[in-house]
Amino acid sequence: MTNKHPLQVLTLPTSPYPDQRPGTNGLRKKTHVFQSEKNYLHNFIQCIFSSIDLRDRQGSSVVVGGDGRYFNSTAIQVIVQMAAANGVGRVVIGQNGIMSTPAVSCVIRKIKAIGGIILTASHNPGGPDGDFGIKFNTASGGPAPEAVTNKIFQLSRTIEELAICPELRVDLGTIGKQSFDLENKFKPFTVEIVDPVESYANSLRNIFDFAVLKELLSGENHIQIRLDARHGVTGPYVKKILCEELGSPANSAINCVPLEDFGGGHPDPNLTYAADLVETMKNGQYDFGAAFDGDGERNMILGKHGFFVNPSDSVAVIAANIFCIPYFQHTGVRGFARSMPTSAALDMVARATKIQLYETPAGWRYFGSLMDAGRLSLCGEESFGTGSDYIREKDGLWAVLAWMSILAARRESVEDIMTDHWRTYGRNYYTRFDYEEVDLDAAVEMMLDLELMISDRAFIGQVFTVGEKKYQVEAADNFEYSDPVDGTISRNQGLRIVFKGDSRIIFRLSGSDSFGATVRLYIDSYEKDINKLFQDPQVALAELVTIALQLSQIHERTGRRGPTVIT
């Protein structure tokens, strides 16, 4: 399909916005901001293209996909119009504008694209009153590093004009190539609509043994599973790969049709927002359960009777059983990594296996740098993200297939695998509390005062007594990370208080919210006594929670009594 007359390329004047600083997961705002503020979307897209040198841009390929949330298709039309006007030669888009974040990363790497634009606010709610987001991934397939996001932000503060081809319209529903002749262009501009699942599924076939997984899911002694896509982007992937190819019954996958508002739900796979799945699992009908987020990055793993696998434990179990996955039998294991707020469960496996462990700030881009340098094979974060070096994003479906590979190899239940892991390596009791949409000034002031307190020399060695338990401070700091690959230093990544015996309290201000601030409180306590491995985490951590609240005065200072308990 080619247009009859060359399409006009326009350069239009515009004015900058002061609030377009991308966070760790791109630019996220309320949907109405992108819809109603003149050129708000256009400005940011122009700054993404302008951050790439014109010589690199000309004739290049860009991948575009989204999680199907409200405003997704409208935004894609604008992105295509601006890509054409900014010298891009080809845009590859998932059919109907749908493509999971891991799949975008996969396709960027496969076709050697210059980068990709992902329209998602990940696990945040969608719809006209929900959130919308734009994320830029570079040629590695991973989230743009800080140097790039800083450049985009600087450009957004001084932007005066944008380039667009307003008459260009793309049919997002039909797979195939569409060509467009533009003014002053020798080659036609091409848009390619692709099956969003195909390339990604091919990669998974090269990582896992699909014959073994098919036997697990549909063989003589197959397990019963329940997968909840939460009306996000993962639905078509689950249906095609798990049901159609691996033979799991169609009714084992639920909420698989992507909806603009995620069915009115919160597409965040945790105990709070996926409580209905937990409830369903409790009757014992299913051996394995999993939930996914809006754009397919995150996962929650459940065993029979709703047995919950903490995400920090999940990556540790995969690490301990890593050679159940054929990919790692071929590549070997180069290193493990976790984000700083994630529990130290992975550290225990790394120590036992003598594999290098990296502790990074929150944000997947830090893992990408290590992967690009060949130093990292498996990584995870407490916020339900797990992944490996075959792409540069966290990947919910990959994590589920990793767990299924372990189940197939060990022929034990999720709970038995987890409890055996604790007996072998010890258990890191872990919890996270989120204080959402708090006043930014109050949150910043609280963090500054806390940092002042823990920086005092007298704080080290201090003993806190709660009931019969005593906790002595061994170390305290504001976490700073020096990238071992390029030496980049990332400061102010969270306040850490470490006690003797490997217990930790961490406070962090989140950088990926569309409104207000979120203060996150993490509690991590290591237990190796075999008689104390099966307590309720909230009970096991009660004393440390008391100390954290006492130190921070978070309730008094933010006016928020009831946090959301995430894990």
Side-chain angles (χ1 to χ4, degrees):
M1 171 183 142
T2 308
N3 53 297
K4 291 174 184 171
H5 306 290
L7 298 172
Q8 200 176 10
V9 176
L10 302 179
T11 301
L12 304 175
T14 190
S15 301
Y17 288 93
D19 63 343
Q20 293 198 329
R21 181 189 287 278
T24 52
N25 291 295
L27 181 69
R28 289 185 189 171
K29 300 287 175 186
K30 289 294 178 190
T31 306
H32 66 78
V33 174
F34 286 99
Q35 273 189 296
S36 60
E37 300 284 343
K38 187 184 178 185
N39 289 344
Y40 196 87
L41 169 69
H42 299 66
N43 277 18
F44 193 69
I45 298 302
Q46 182 60 57
C47 293
I48 289 174
F49 288 129
S50 297
S51 73
I52 306 165
D53 190 281
L54 181 59
R55 287 166 299 182
D56 296 328
R57 233 168 38 221
Q58 284 181 323
S60 66
S61 296
V62 169
V63 182
V64 178
D67 59 17
R69 66 180 58 230
Y70 182 79
F71 195 56
N72 191 71
S73 297
T74 306
I76 287 177
Q77 294 290 350
V78 171
I79 290 166
V80 174
Q81 291 170 354
M82 296 186 70
N86 276 277
V88 171
R90 174 173 68 145
V91 178
V92 176
I93 309 173
Q95 189 178 23
N96 299 316
I98 296 280
M99 196 183 287
S100 74
T101 293
V104 171
S105 181
C106 178
V107 174
I108 289 171
R109 293 170 68 78
K110 183 179 179 184
I111 69 169
K112 296 182 167 52
I114 198 166
I117 296 174
I118 309 172
L119 302 174
T120 179
S122 187
H123 53 300
N124 293 15
D129 300 321
D131 293 347
F132 191 77
I134 304 171
K135 194 168 98 152
F136 177 56
N137 283 28
T138 58
S140 73
E146 216 162 346
V148 175
T149 57
N150 284 343
K151 187 175 181 182
I152 292 168
F153 178 54
Q154 293 306 325
L155 289 165
S156 77
R157 296 173 70 183
T158 55
I159 185 170
E160 293 179 348
E161 57 185 32
L162 56 89
I164 191 164
C165 188
E167 295 168 28
L168 197 156
R169 288 282 180 278
V170 180
D171 171 10
L172 295 174
T174 306
I175 288 179
K177 290 183 180 176
Q178 302 165 43
S179 296
F180 303 87
D181 286 326
L182 311 183
E183 283 181 341
N184 308 323
K185 276 263 198 160
F186 297 109
K187 289 182 181 176
F189 169 72
T190 306
V191 174
E192 196 174 334
I193 307 298
V194 298
D195 179 333
V197 181
E198 193 177 6
S199 289
Y200 171 79
N202 276 335
S203 291
L204 294 183
R205 289 185 197 104
N206 292 325
I207 293 167
F208 301 102
D209 188 330
F210 270 34
V212 166
L213 295 178
K214 187 165 187 173
E215 181 65 26
L216 178 78
L217 295 177
S218 56
E220 196 176 338
N221 298 308
H222 69 272
I223 62 170
Q224 301 289 338
I225 67 170
R226 183 79 160 179
L227 304 178
D228 186 353
R230 306 201 61 73
H231 292 300
V233 77
T234 317
Y237 295 81
V238 169
K239 280 287 187 192
K240 207 160 191 175
I241 297 168
L242 273 297
C243 299
E244 291 173 27
E245 186 157 352
L246 297 179
S248 192
N251 63 3
S252 63
I254 58 169
N255 301 326
C256 284
V257 177
L259 297 176
E260 289 191 335
D261 64 349
F262 307 111
H266 200 130
D268 199 352
N270 59 48
L271 293 173
T272 301
Y273 297 120
D276 46 352
L277 176 65
V278 179
E279 208 49 48
T280 302
M281 292 291 295
K282 281 182 180 173
N283 67 19
Q285 181 184 347
Y286 301 100
D287 304 295
F288 179 90
F292 305 97
D293 69 342
D295 68 328
E297 296 178 314
R298 298 166 194 245
N299 71 96
M300 176 174 72
I301 304 294
L302 298 170
K304 202 160 187 158
H305 303 296
F307 179 85
F308 171 65
V309 179
N310 188 291
S312 301
D313 280 340
S314 180
V315 69
V317 167
I318 295 171
N321 296 275
I322 198 159
F323 294 115
C324 294
I325 301 167
Y327 174 80
F328 295 110
Q329 296 168 15
H330 301 307
T331 65
V333 181
R334 300 180 180 96
F336 298 138
R338 62 166 176 82
S339 64
M340 181 273 286
T342 300
S343 95
L346 184 60
D347 306 40
M348 304 307 165
V349 179
R351 198 176 296 168
T353 55
K354 296 184 169 55
I355 290 170
Q356 176 72 45
L357 179 110
Y358 299 93
E359 182 180 31
T360 70
W364 209 259
R365 61 191 180 204
Y366 298 101
F367 296 142
S369 169
L370 295 165
M371 288 176 181
D372 289 344
R375 297 188 181 204
L376 177 60
S377 296
L378 173 74
C379 52
E381 56 185 19
E382 51 71 36
S383 54
F384 296 83
T386 323
S388 83
D389 60 346
Y390 91 99
I391 55 170
R392 296 296 180 267
E393 284 283 5
K394 63 194 95 166
D395 187 347
L397 200 51
W398 180 93
V400 163
L401 294 177
W403 262 94
M404 287 180 175
S405 301
I406 295 166
L407 291 173
R410 293 184 54 159
R411 279 290 165 184
E412 295 175 279
S413 70
V414 171
E415 185 172 355
D416 286 346
I417 289 168
M418 195 69 256
T419 52
D420 178 62
H421 184 90
W422 292 333
R423 287 192 179 101
T424 305
Y425 298 98
R427 179 175 183 180
N428 282 78
Y429 284 104
Y430 185 82
T431 193
R432 173 181 129 199
F433 301 109
D434 283 6
Y435 295 83
E436 297 171 318
E437 296 187 357
V438 302
D439 179 75
L440 180 61
D441 291 339
V444 168
E445 193 179 341
M446 184 198 80
M447 293 292 284
L448 289 171
D449 287 347
L450 252 177
E451 185 173 6
L452 204 61
M453 179 197 303
I454 69 171
S455 302
D456 192 316
R457 280 186 189 173
F459 189 72
I460 307 300
Q462 200 169 320
V463 177
F464 292 88
T465 305
V466 183
E468 295 177 5
K469 283 195 177 179
K470 292 182 187 296
Y471 293 89
Q472 186 172 10
V473 178
E474 188 170 58
D477 65 2
N478 190 335
F479 180 59
E480 186 174 291
Y481 176 69
S482 176
D483 191 307
V485 179
D486 62 14
T488 306
I489 294 174
S490 302
R491 297 184 170 87
N492 302 314
Q493 295 297 319
L495 304 178
R496 300 188 296 181
I497 301 167
V498 183
F499 299 96
K500 287 188 174 171
D502 291 329
S503 293
R504 300 184 303 158
I505 294 172
I506 295 159
F507 295 91
R508 198 171 72 85
L509 270 182
S510 172
S512 58
D513 298 290
S514 60
F515 179 75
T518 294
V519 180
R520 303 198 198 280
L521 165 60
Y522 312 84
I523 312 282
D524 178 15
S525 183
Y526 180 64
E527 181 58 70
K528 59 184 177 185
D529 185 339
I530 205 156
N531 298 310
K532 296 179 180 176
L533 294 179
F534 303 101
Q535 303 172 68
D536 180 294
Q538 299 302 328
V539 174
L541 298 169
E543 290 89 357
L544 282 168
V545 171
T546 300
I547 293 168
L549 297 180
Q550 178 189 326
L551 283 171
S552 63
Q553 299 290 298
I554 194 168
H555 292 164
E556 294 80 359
R557 300 194 63 161
T558 65
R560 299 296 294 275
R561 291 276 160 193
T564 300
V565 182
I566 300 299
T567 51

Short mmCIF file of all heavy atoms in Angstrom, two decimals, residues 29-33 35 69-71 124-132 260-262 264-265 437 514-515:
data_model
loop_
_atom_site.label_atom_id
_atom_site.label_comp_id
_atom_site.label_asym_id
_atom_site.label_seq_id
_atom_site.Cartn_x
_atom_site.Cartn_y
_atom_site.Cartn_z
N LYS A 29 2.23 10.17 33.41
CA LYS A 29 1.33 11.22 33.88
C LYS A 29 -0.10 10.69 33.82
O LYS A 29 -0.37 9.64 33.24
CB LYS A 29 1.43 12.47 32.99
CG LYS A 29 2.81 13.12 32.93
CD LYS A 29 3.16 13.84 34.20
CE LYS A 29 4.60 14.36 34.15
NZ LYS A 29 5.02 14.94 35.44
N LYS A 30 -1.01 11.46 34.38
CA LYS A 30 -2.42 11.14 34.18
C LYS A 30 -2.72 11.24 32.68
O LYS A 30 -2.19 12.12 31.98
CB LYS A 30 -3.30 12.11 34.97
CG LYS A 30 -3.24 11.88 36.49
CD LYS A 30 -3.83 10.53 36.85
CE LYS A 30 -3.75 10.24 38.34
NZ LYS A 30 -4.10 8.84 38.65
N THR A 31 -3.57 10.37 32.19
CA THR A 31 -3.87 10.31 30.76
C THR A 31 -4.33 11.67 30.22
O THR A 31 -3.93 12.08 29.12
CB THR A 31 -4.96 9.26 30.49
OG1 THR A 31 -4.54 8.01 31.05
CG2 THR A 31 -5.20 9.07 29.00
N HIS A 32 -5.13 12.37 31.01
CA HIS A 32 -5.69 13.64 30.52
C HIS A 32 -4.60 14.68 30.25
O HIS A 32 -4.80 15.61 29.45
CB HIS A 32 -6.76 14.19 31.47
CG HIS A 32 -6.24 14.61 32.82
ND1 HIS A 32 -5.58 15.80 33.02
CD2 HIS A 32 -6.29 13.99 34.03
CE1 HIS A 32 -5.23 15.90 34.30
NE2 HIS A 32 -5.65 14.83 34.93
N VAL A 33 -3.44 14.55 30.90
CA VAL A 33 -2.33 15.49 30.65
C VAL A 33 -1.86 15.32 29.20
O VAL A 33 -1.69 16.31 28.47
CB VAL A 33 -1.17 15.27 31.64
CG1 VAL A 33 0.04 16.15 31.27
CG2 VAL A 33 -1.61 15.55 33.08
N GLN A 35 -3.56 14.03 26.80
CA GLN A 35 -4.67 14.30 25.89
C GLN A 35 -4.95 15.79 25.73
O GLN A 35 -5.24 16.25 24.63
CB GLN A 35 -5.94 13.63 26.43
CG GLN A 35 -6.11 12.19 26.00
CD GLN A 35 -7.49 11.70 26.38
OE1 GLN A 35 -7.83 11.61 27.56
NE2 GLN A 35 -8.29 11.37 25.40
N ARG A 69 -3.58 0.22 26.72
CA ARG A 69 -4.36 1.11 27.59
C ARG A 69 -4.96 2.27 26.78
O ARG A 69 -4.54 2.55 25.66
CB ARG A 69 -3.51 1.62 28.76
CG ARG A 69 -2.38 2.53 28.38
CD ARG A 69 -1.59 2.99 29.61
NE ARG A 69 -1.03 1.89 30.39
CZ ARG A 69 -1.19 1.77 31.72
NH1 ARG A 69 -1.84 2.68 32.40
NH2 ARG A 69 -0.66 0.75 32.36
N TYR A 70 -5.91 2.93 27.38
CA TYR A 70 -6.62 4.05 26.76
C TYR A 70 -5.62 5.08 26.23
O TYR A 70 -4.64 5.40 26.90
CB TYR A 70 -7.53 4.70 27.81
CG TYR A 70 -8.37 5.85 27.31
CD1 TYR A 70 -9.53 5.63 26.57
CD2 TYR A 70 -7.99 7.16 27.56
CE1 TYR A 70 -10.30 6.68 26.11
CE2 TYR A 70 -8.75 8.23 27.11
CZ TYR A 70 -9.91 7.97 26.37
OH TYR A 70 -10.66 9.02 25.92
N PHE A 71 -5.83 5.57 25.03
CA PHE A 71 -5.02 6.57 24.33
C PHE A 71 -3.84 5.94 23.59
O PHE A 71 -3.09 6.61 22.90
CB PHE A 71 -4.50 7.65 25.31
CG PHE A 71 -3.98 8.90 24.65
CD1 PHE A 71 -4.76 9.64 23.77
CD2 PHE A 71 -2.69 9.35 24.89
CE1 PHE A 71 -4.27 10.79 23.16
CE2 PHE A 71 -2.20 10.51 24.29
CZ PHE A 71 -2.99 11.22 23.43
N ASN A 124 0.38 0.61 36.61
CA ASN A 124 -0.56 1.65 37.04
C ASN A 124 -1.89 1.49 36.31
O ASN A 124 -1.94 1.04 35.17
CB ASN A 124 0.01 3.05 36.75
CG ASN A 124 1.24 3.36 37.59
OD1 ASN A 124 1.83 2.47 38.19
ND2 ASN A 124 1.62 4.62 37.63
N PRO A 125 -3.01 1.90 36.93
CA PRO A 125 -4.33 1.76 36.29
C PRO A 125 -4.41 2.55 34.98
O PRO A 125 -3.70 3.54 34.78
CB PRO A 125 -5.30 2.36 37.32
CG PRO A 125 -4.56 2.33 38.62
CD PRO A 125 -3.11 2.48 38.28
N GLY A 126 -5.29 2.10 34.07
CA GLY A 126 -5.49 2.76 32.79
C GLY A 126 -6.87 3.38 32.69
O GLY A 126 -7.60 3.47 33.68
N GLY A 127 -7.24 3.82 31.48
CA GLY A 127 -8.54 4.44 31.27
C GLY A 127 -8.42 5.96 31.26
O GLY A 127 -7.36 6.52 31.57
N PRO A 128 -9.51 6.66 30.91
CA PRO A 128 -9.48 8.13 30.83
C PRO A 128 -9.05 8.79 32.13
O PRO A 128 -8.42 9.85 32.11
CB PRO A 128 -10.94 8.49 30.50
CG PRO A 128 -11.52 7.26 29.90
CD PRO A 128 -10.82 6.11 30.53
N ASP A 129 -9.36 8.17 33.27
CA ASP A 129 -8.97 8.73 34.57
C ASP A 129 -7.71 8.07 35.13
O ASP A 129 -7.30 8.35 36.26
CB ASP A 129 -10.12 8.57 35.58
CG ASP A 129 -11.38 9.29 35.12
OD1 ASP A 129 -11.24 10.41 34.57
OD2 ASP A 129 -12.48 8.73 35.28
N GLY A 130 -7.12 7.17 34.35
CA GLY A 130 -5.93 6.46 34.81
C GLY A 130 -4.65 7.12 34.34
O GLY A 130 -4.60 8.33 34.08
N ASP A 131 -3.61 6.32 34.19
CA ASP A 131 -2.29 6.82 33.84
C ASP A 131 -1.90 6.40 32.43
O ASP A 131 -2.38 5.39 31.90
CB ASP A 131 -1.24 6.29 34.81
CG ASP A 131 -1.41 6.83 36.23
OD1 ASP A 131 -2.19 7.79 36.39
OD2 ASP A 131 -0.79 6.29 37.15
N PHE A 132 -0.99 7.19 31.85
CA PHE A 132 -0.42 6.88 30.54
C PHE A 132 1.08 7.12 30.65
O PHE A 132 1.53 7.96 31.44
CB PHE A 132 -1.03 7.76 29.46
CG PHE A 132 -0.68 7.32 28.06
CD1 PHE A 132 -1.31 6.23 27.49
CD2 PHE A 132 0.29 7.99 27.32
CE1 PHE A 132 -0.98 5.80 26.20
CE2 PHE A 132 0.63 7.58 26.04
CZ PHE A 132 -0.02 6.48 25.48
N GLU A 260 -8.77 -1.31 27.49
CA GLU A 260 -8.20 0.04 27.65
C GLU A 260 -8.09 0.46 29.11
O GLU A 260 -7.25 1.28 29.46
CB GLU A 260 -9.04 1.05 26.87
CG GLU A 260 -8.88 0.93 25.36
CD GLU A 260 -9.51 2.09 24.62
OE1 GLU A 260 -10.44 2.72 25.17
OE2 GLU A 260 -9.06 2.38 23.49
N ASP A 261 -8.99 -0.07 29.96
CA ASP A 261 -8.94 0.29 31.38
C ASP A 261 -8.64 -0.92 32.25
O ASP A 261 -8.88 -0.90 33.46
CB ASP A 261 -10.25 0.94 31.83
CG ASP A 261 -11.43 -0.03 31.74
OD1 ASP A 261 -11.28 -1.12 31.13
OD2 ASP A 261 -12.49 0.30 32.29
N PHE A 262 -8.11 -2.00 31.63
CA PHE A 262 -7.79 -3.24 32.33
C PHE A 262 -9.00 -3.77 33.11
O PHE A 262 -8.86 -4.34 34.20
CB PHE A 262 -6.58 -3.06 33.26
CG PHE A 262 -5.38 -2.50 32.55
CD1 PHE A 262 -4.93 -1.21 32.80
CD2 PHE A 262 -4.71 -3.25 31.59
CE1 PHE A 262 -3.85 -0.68 32.12
CE2 PHE A 262 -3.62 -2.73 30.91
CZ PHE A 262 -3.18 -1.44 31.16
N GLY A 264 -11.17 -2.13 34.61
CA GLY A 264 -11.42 -1.36 35.83
C GLY A 264 -10.52 -1.77 36.98
O GLY A 264 -10.58 -1.20 38.07
N GLY A 265 -9.66 -2.75 36.74
CA GLY A 265 -8.77 -3.24 37.80
C GLY A 265 -7.42 -2.55 37.80
O GLY A 265 -7.12 -1.70 36.95
N GLU A 437 0.92 8.61 47.12
CA GLU A 437 0.33 9.95 46.92
C GLU A 437 0.42 10.81 48.17
O GLU A 437 -0.52 11.48 48.57
CB GLU A 437 -1.13 9.81 46.44
CG GLU A 437 -1.23 9.14 45.08
CD GLU A 437 -2.63 9.13 44.50
OE1 GLU A 437 -3.57 9.61 45.17
OE2 GLU A 437 -2.79 8.64 43.37
N SER A 514 2.71 9.23 38.91
CA SER A 514 2.14 10.31 38.12
C SER A 514 1.58 11.42 39.00
O SER A 514 1.28 12.50 38.53
CB SER A 514 1.02 9.76 37.22
OG SER A 514 0.00 9.18 38.01
N PHE A 515 1.42 11.16 40.30
CA PHE A 515 0.81 12.16 41.18
C PHE A 515 1.37 12.00 42.58
O PHE A 515 1.37 10.92 43.15
CB PHE A 515 -0.71 11.97 41.20
CG PHE A 515 -1.43 12.95 42.09
CD1 PHE A 515 -1.59 14.27 41.70
CD2 PHE A 515 -1.93 12.54 43.31
CE1 PHE A 515 -2.24 15.16 42.53
CE2 PHE A 515 -2.58 13.44 44.15
CZ PHE A 515 -2.75 14.75 43.75
#
